[in-house]
Amino acid sequence: AKYKIAESVFMSGKLDEAKKQLKDFLKEFTVSKKLPEAYFLLGEVDYALRDYAASAGDYAKALEMSPGAAWEAYALYGKGWADLKAGDYKDALDDFLAFRRIYPDSPATDSAIFGAGQCYTSMKDYPNAAISYDEIILKFQNSALLGDAYLWKGDCLYNLEKYEQAKELYEEAISRFPASAILPQFYYNLGWTLLRLNDPQKAVINFEETVKRSQDRNLKASAISLIGDTALDLKDYEKARQSYDGILKDFGDSIICDYAQYQLGITMF
């Protein structure tokens, strides 16, 4: 009955109270058949509370106590994301790879592949990260993570200094996902890539598209700063001043303001 109460409290969204109820249950009923399930539910609660290290530990305990349980797939999948968000990239990668091996036909396969890619990216293993994202692009055309896979594969190519390939990928993504919430990020990343390809004019066009389309103030301010920096490199001091002035006027709370003020001073000489 006490476990059912904890479960009901969790379902009602009262996370702190659910955690207390589960902790009390685990302390009081040390030989209950519900112990593994209680640890699994505690993992869910801690994840929702963003205590990712604790969540990973809860899931691990549940998996250890009851291998083959009905919720095993959820626990292994949850542990992967909890480990990743806790910064335990190697453990997270092991979790995602194990999930794929044990549950190859799961509807969460694309998410597990993406999670593995995030682990590789965090460990700066860009070749393997790109392979993971590419698998989503090639095999999971209807995945909700398809656009993100394009974005992160482009990031891998950029870090591997494969700028031409990154450019082509970002251009394909812009054409393919015109209504995506991450469209401004594609334009921004393409701008950076074009700078590396020594095409500053086209880079500026993409940074301007970022400013026009993004709702993210930090991304907009960064794009305007890059427009200013590029103009400064091209000795277009008036455009550079306009860009830095725009940041100081419209983004006074941005961390880029000090940099913009410094760069504005350079345009005066």
Side-chain angles (χ1 to χ4, degrees), residues 245-264:
D245 274 334
I247 293 172
L248 296 172
K249 177 184 176 183
D250 299 327
F251 300 89
D253 56 343
S254 172
I255 59 173
I256 296 177
C257 278
D258 287 344
Y259 176 78
Q261 186 70 63
Y262 176 79
Q263 290 294 87
L264 183 61

Side-chain angles (χ1 to χ4, degrees), residues 136-154:
I136 295 173
I137 292 169
L138 295 174
K139 296 181 180 179
F140 296 88
Q141 292 292 304
N142 296 319
S143 172
L145 293 166
L146 186 60
D148 295 278
Y150 269 89
L151 186 66
W152 284 95
K153 182 185 176 184

Side-chain angles (χ1 to χ4, degrees), residues 134 137-138 141 146 150 153 164-178 183 186 190:
D134 204 41
I137 292 169
L138 295 174
Q141 292 292 304
L146 186 60
Y150 269 89
K153 182 185 176 184
E164 191 61 45
Q165 290 181 45
K167 170 182 171 290
E168 291 173 2
L169 188 75
Y170 289 136
E171 288 174 339
E172 179 184 344
I174 287 168
S175 174
R176 187 167 186 179
F177 306 105
L183 181 65
F186 284 126
L190 179 55

Side-chain angles (χ1 to χ4, degrees), residues 160-205:
L160 291 168
E161 299 183 3
K162 296 181 177 181
Y163 302 124
E164 191 61 45
Q165 290 181 45
K167 170 182 171 290
E168 291 173 2
L169 188 75
Y170 289 136
E171 288 174 339
E172 179 184 344
I174 287 168
S175 174
R176 187 167 186 179
F177 306 105
S180 171
I182 58 176
L183 181 65
Q185 191 70 55
F186 284 126
Y187 278 111
Y188 181 82
N189 288 12
L190 179 55
W192 266 111
T193 305
L194 288 164
L195 286 178
R196 294 291 177 263
L197 290 169
N198 297 312
D199 195 342
Q201 286 84 6
K202 285 186 180 178
V204 166
I205 290 171

Side-chain angles (χ1 to χ4, degrees), residues 24-178:
D24 289 346
F25 173 82
L26 290 168
K27 189 179 297 183
E28 186 175 347
F29 299 96
T30 56
V31 293
S32 170
K33 292 180 180 179
K34 287 288 187 180
L35 279 181
E37 193 171 343
Y39 273 110
F40 167 68
L41 187 58
L42 185 59
E44 300 278 274
V45 171
D46 278 328
Y47 191 94
L49 289 169
R50 300 185 180 183
D51 188 349
Y52 299 119
S55 176
D58 300 332
Y59 286 133
K61 189 73 173 176
L63 289 164
E64 177 188 340
M65 295 178 72
S66 187
W71 38 259
E72 181 185 51
Y74 299 100
L76 184 56
Y77 175 82
K79 183 176 181 296
W81 283 104
D83 277 327
L84 176 61
K85 293 192 175 186
D88 295 328
Y89 305 126
K90 181 61 172 65
D91 284 347
L93 180 60
D94 289 343
D95 296 332
F96 289 128
L97 294 179
F99 182 89
R100 287 204 64 192
R101 185 179 67 254
I102 300 169
Y103 307 102
D105 299 319
S106 168
T109 296
D110 59 335
S111 183
I113 296 170
F114 185 80
Q118 294 283 279
C119 294
Y120 286 126
T121 299
S122 297
M123 294 187 290
K124 301 188 187 307
D125 184 350
Y126 298 117
N128 277 316
I131 290 170
S132 296
Y133 301 130
D134 204 41
E135 185 172 0
I136 295 173
I137 292 169
L138 295 174
K139 296 181 180 179
F140 296 88
Q141 292 292 304
N142 296 319
S143 172
L145 293 166
L146 186 60
D148 295 278
Y150 269 89
L151 186 66
W152 284 95
K153 182 185 176 184
D155 183 71
C156 291
L157 294 171
Y158 182 93
N159 280 290
L160 291 168
E161 299 183 3
K162 296 181 177 181
Y163 302 124
E164 191 61 45
Q165 290 181 45
K167 170 182 171 290
E168 291 173 2
L169 188 75
Y170 289 136
E171 288 174 339
E172 179 184 344
I174 287 168
S175 174
R176 187 167 186 179
F177 306 105

